[in-house]
Amino acid sequence: MIKNAEKQLNKIRKKLSRKGLDAVKVSMFRESVQLKGSVDSWEQKVQAGQSSAGHGFKGVLNDILVSGCDEPGMSQPQLEDDLLEGRSFDVVIVGGGVIGCAIARELCRLELTVAVLEKEADLAMQASGRNDGMIHPGFAAKPGSLKSHYNTRGNRLYTNLAEELGFNFTRPGTIILFKDWWMRFLLPPIFKKRCRDNGVDGDYRTLSQKEVKKHEPNVTKRQKGGFLLPSTGIVSPFQVTIALAENAVANGAEVFLNTLVCSVFLDEGRVSSIETNRGRLRAGVLINAAGVWSDKLAEMADDRFFSIHGRKGTDAILDRNSEGEQNHILGMPSFSSNKKNHSKGGGLVLCVEGNILLGPTAEEVSDREDYSTDSEMFTTLLEQLEMNTKLSPSMIINYYSGVRAASWEEDFIVEPSDKVANLVHAAAIQSPGFASAPAIAVDVASMAVDILRTSGVDIVPRDDFNPVHHGIPQVKNMNAADRDTLIKRDPAYGEILCRCEEVSRGEIRDALHSAVPAATVDGIKRRVRAGAGRCHGGFCLPKVILTMAREMNVPIIDITRKGSGSNILVAETKISALEVSDAS
Ligand SMILES: Cc1cc2nc3c(=O)[nH]c(=O)nc-3n(C[C@H](O)[C@H](O)[C@H](O)COP(=O)(O)OP(=O)(O)OC[C@H]3O[C@@H](n4cnc5c(N)ncnc54)[C@H](O)[C@@H]3O)c2cc1C
């Protein structure tokens, strides 16, 4: 029961009234606050949601309508078949992002049948493939929050995870720059306390102006010192998500792409079956790792207690010629981050491939799959270039946006359902969700196991669980001798199709035949980086398409950029492209 519920509801009503939001009706739904009525703008809906959080309720259900503003629905696969009809799994995970894939891998340590259902044509198509790949040190989260707990634990787990799964991982650390003298004196004690409270690892410390310059020779002259957080790591988010999923598959899990969960059926307070576009299946436990749609999945299972709003972030990618111009991630203290935009402040973020990202921004959006980029965001991003004197706007080669799954409480939801006996939520996982994923996965897997055990399932460790994953060889990163040996063994690794990123035909072929095979041009880019360089596929795209058509044994016209409806070629002309390629 909520303490003094009516008193708290009145407090919320008063707050809303002070903001001119008297039209919003405030009531209780189960243990959550529910907001209804209509307002004139999305900003007002956001204001109402934010004002209603933190009053002791389980969650905020923000059902306010915004005049003239539709909240677009989710993109859906066009495929329909009965592949999953009648199948049954111990655990079904909804969502093929980093959270769903990490949970699947954890569960594969046991003799259980596990399925991951993902509506998109590939893994990591939503937040998990549209972020900065920063393994945050655990500094920014509010002490005592789940974000803080999982971030610090997750950060630690990355060292071992990278060794096991073979993804690229380094810890360049972050320097938060002080741009005014007063910051140099006032901020360090606050920052140190925050680090202690959150259990941040490493020798975090204050740096003088000179020390910053020594660590970062190209840093702006305007800096007056800084704060070093050495435990910040960086990864390629696609590489991590795909490695987790492929290792899970190697250990018995099944991944179903283009698979949308449309309805969840309950029987006596338990999930009895799950309806998808590929048939109806059964699950001993259902795990909600559905990202920006996790509130809708909870609603399908009649466990509505939170609502998600999308917070878009845009990043700009700098060319590889930015490599070596910076040693750490650079940021500025962000004082507007708390109530208003909840961003981690953004900055100059190193990529594990060596180049630099500018970003991310933070903007509340009504469309949870709004991946557009605009000039306003671009202007905000350019300001960050000031931190490094060697970087310039001409180095920018591309942009992308992602949408964070924010709840109104601004914390993760990682818990078994109160209402449905065999449902577990790993929901509202916004930043630092990537950094937190390995730790969230350990706990969610253990919650699922408890439920299975209670239902009488024998929990037996898998004797042959193999935590090691060998990724696709990266020709570009090999020394000459290893490259030579590899090419002698298989000449396909000597045929470079993507010149910018030095990706060979052998690597692209491997990506098409891996445990969770790439089936789209973007899927190839995510796995091996063909098309991710300066020319963005200008030169290699035709060759990638041809290789895909041959290896997948489909007509070139059927090759898509990111799944059905995104075909790249419309028709064959006089000579088939395959013939052209053979002749050239
Ligand atoms: C711009 C930006 C920058 C960020 N930077 C960082 C960072 O540097 N470090 C960090 O730690 N975190 C960062 N984050 C946050 C991080 O990306 C997320 O916390 C994390 O990726 C969330 O993973 P997820 O698996 O919960 O969600 P997602 O990756 O969104 O996966 C959920 C999946 O569920 C699928 N799905 C939804 N509904 C259904 C359904 N009904 N049926 C089938 N499938 C369904 C979706 O298609 C989606 O693929 C950033 C986020 C953004 C947007």
Side-chain angles (χ1 to χ4, degrees):
M1 276 309 281
I2 313 298
K3 262 195 192 164
N4 300 323
E6 200 45 47
K7 208 167 143 193
Q8 294 303 329
L9 291 176
N10 276 332
K11 269 194 189 167
I12 296 172
R13 286 183 191 112
K14 277 191 195 142
K15 262 191 180 175
L16 296 181
S17 173
R18 279 200 295 274
K19 293 187 158 54
L21 299 168
D22 303 82
V24 174
K25 305 267 169 292
V26 181
S27 58
M28 240 174 103
F29 175 82
R30 295 178 180 164
E31 282 94 46
S32 295
V33 194
Q34 187 168 33
L35 308 176
K36 284 188 174 168
S38 79
V39 293
D40 296 329
S41 68
W42 186 256
E43 289 71 34
Q44 287 180 324
K45 176 165 174 160
V46 171
Q47 261 190 352
Q50 288 177 339
S51 308
S52 308
H55 287 265
F57 293 93
K58 186 156 170 60
V60 176
L61 295 168
N62 190 341
D63 295 333
I64 300 172
L65 299 173
V66 180
S67 338
C69 166
D70 289 335
E71 288 184 37
M74 60 165 69
S75 61
Q76 302 196 1
Q78 286 169 14
L79 177 80
E80 280 204 14
D81 62 24
D82 58 2
L83 182 81
L84 287 168
E85 185 62 41
R87 293 219 37 202
S88 186
F89 296 89
D90 291 315
V91 185
V92 170
I93 301 163
V94 186
V98 70
I99 300 295
C101 296
I103 296 168
R105 177 179 185 259
E106 270 318 301
L107 285 164
C108 288
R109 296 177 191 275
L110 306 166
E111 292 280 356
L112 295 173
T113 51
V114 176
V116 176
L117 311 183
E118 168 54 56
K119 73 183 178 75
E120 302 287 345
D122 199 1
L123 302 168
M125 291 270 284
Q126 301 210 334
S128 297
R130 298 172 168 277
N131 59 61
D132 285 53
M134 259 175 85
I135 305 309
H136 294 283
F139 165 78
K142 191 170 150 199
S145 63
L146 284 186
K147 280 186 183 175
S148 151
H149 172 74
Y150 284 116
N151 187 165
T152 322
R153 268 175 66 196
N155 179 299
R156 277 178 208 140
L157 292 174
Y158 264 95
T159 306
N160 186 42
L161 201 61
E163 266 167 35
E164 289 183 343
L165 297 182
F167 57 77
N168 303 329
F169 174 62
T170 58
R171 289 190 189 271
T174 306
I175 300 179
I176 304 175
L177 298 176
F178 300 148
K179 58 178 184 200
D180 295 305
W181 279 114
W182 66 265
M183 292 186 180
R184 166 82 181 78
F185 300 102
L186 277 190
L187 294 183
I190 301 171
F191 284 5
K192 281 182 188 161
K193 180 171 183 334
R194 174 57 75 95
C195 285
R196 279 195 304 274
D197 289 349
N198 282 350
V200 171
D201 289 335
D203 179 19
Y204 49 81
R205 59 188 186 278
T206 313
L207 301 177
S208 67
Q209 198 175 18
K210 251 190 182 164
E211 284 169 321
V212 170
K213 186 80 186 157
K214 205 170 137 207
H215 283 292
E216 287 295 345
N218 302 327
V219 79
T220 169
K221 284 202 180 87
R222 288 181 53 220
Q223 60 89 12
K224 307 284 186 294
F227 192 77
L228 174 69
L229 291 153
S231 62
T232 311
I234 46 172
V235 293
S236 151
F238 327 114
Q239 232 194 1
V240 174
T241 309
I242 290 165
L244 285 163
E246 292 198 339
N247 188 237
V249 169
N251 284 294
E254 291 185 71
V255 172
F256 299 96
L257 301 174
N258 294 303
T259 305
L260 171 78
V261 171
C262 324
S263 320
V264 175
F265 296 93
L266 300 180
D267 187 17
E268 295 184 356
R270 295 181 69 83
V271 172
S272 55
S273 64
I274 300 155
E275 184 76 40
T276 75
N277 57 324
R278 315 192 72 179
R280 193 184 282 215
L281 67 154
R282 301 179 73 82
V285 176
L286 177 65
I287 295 180
N288 175 8
V292 285
W293 301 109
S294 51
D295 57 339
K296 301 292 178 196
L297 195 87
E299 188 174 354
M300 279 184 214
D302 193 27
D303 192 24
R304 225 184 149 223
F305 67 93
F306 63 98
S307 53
I308 297 287
H309 55 292
R311 182 171 298 135
K312 183 161 96 167
T314 303
D315 280 86
I317 307 173
L318 300 195
D319 192 9
R320 274 196 188 269
N321 61 11
S322 60
E323 192 166 348
E325 303 294 9
Q326 198 173 297
N327 306 313
H328 301 74
I329 293 163
L330 295 180
M332 296 269 189
S334 164
F335 299 108
S336 64
S337 73
N338 297 329
K339 265 281 163 207
K340 222 171 143 231
N341 66 15
H342 296 279
S343 126
K344 302 250 161 318
L348 297 175
V349 182
L350 294 183
C351 294
V352 80
E353 293 83 18
N355 57 324
I356 295 175
L357 288 181
L358 302 183
T361 55
E363 179 198 3
E364 304 296 333
V365 287
S366 58
D367 179 354
R368 302 177 191 204
E369 297 185 1
D370 174 1
Y371 300 135
S372 61
T373 51
D374 60 44
S375 57
E376 205 182 311
M377 289 298 149
F378 180 56
T379 314
T380 314
L381 290 175
L382 286 185
E383 287 166 15
Q384 304 186 0
L385 283 177
E386 284 173 23
M387 284 186 276
N388 183 331
T389 56
K390 287 286 171 74
L391 306 181
S392 70
S394 65
M395 288 174 161
I396 295 174
I397 59 168
N398 209 352
Y399 314 92
Y400 61 88
S401 292
V403 182
R404 305 166 179 95
S407 70
W408 300 103
E409 291 72 17
E410 299 296 342
D411 204 1
F412 299 158
I413 297 170
V414 181
E415 60 187 51
S417 163
D418 287 348
K419 296 265 171 308
V420 183
N422 56 347
L423 173 67
V424 181
H425 299 288
I429 313 289
Q430 56 159 315
S431 198
F434 213 93
S436 309
I440 293 177
V442 170
D443 283 9
V444 171
S446 130
M447 290 170 198
V449 165
D450 286 348
I451 294 172
L452 289 169
R453 204 176 267 130
T454 315
S455 341
V457 176
D458 262 356
I459 303 296
V460 182
R462 194 183 285 273
D463 279 348
D464 56 353
F465 174 75
N466 181 1
V468 177
H469 166 75
H470 295 291
I472 295 168
Q474 295 172 335
V475 172
K476 179 183 165 47
N477 298 330
M478 285 178 176
N479 62 37
D482 288 349
R483 225 191 241 217
D484 241 32
T485 317
L486 183 69
I487 295 169
K488 278 197 186 111
R489 206 184 72 216
D490 184 345
Y493 293 112
E495 201 184 317
I496 300 296
L497 298 196
C498 167
R499 284 188 272 163
C500 303
E501 293 292 313
E502 283 179 59
V503 185
S504 65
R505 188 168 62 78
E507 289 159 77
I508 294 173
R509 179 207 56 204
D510 291 355
L512 292 164
H513 299 291
S514 58
V516 184
T520 62
V521 167
D522 281 355
I524 294 286
K525 181 156 125 185
R526 272 189 282 275
R527 283 160 183 77
V528 293
R529 293 188 60 77
R534 175 165 265 279
C535 89
H536 262 79
F539 288 100
C540 65
L541 182 65
K543 290 178 177 172
V544 170
I545 291 177
L546 283 169
T547 309
M548 290 180 73
R550 282 191 179 136
E551 296 289 333
M552 292 161 71
N553 202 17
V554 296
I556 50 170
I557 295 186
D558 290 352
I559 301 296
T560 65
R561 169 139 331 256
K562 54 183 179 166
S564 53
S566 62
N567 296 58
I568 298 165
L569 306 171
V570 285
E572 288 189 15
T573 52
K574 287 182 205 155
I575 333 171
S576 100
L578 279 171
E579 288 172 57
V580 172
S581 155
D582 287 341
S584 61

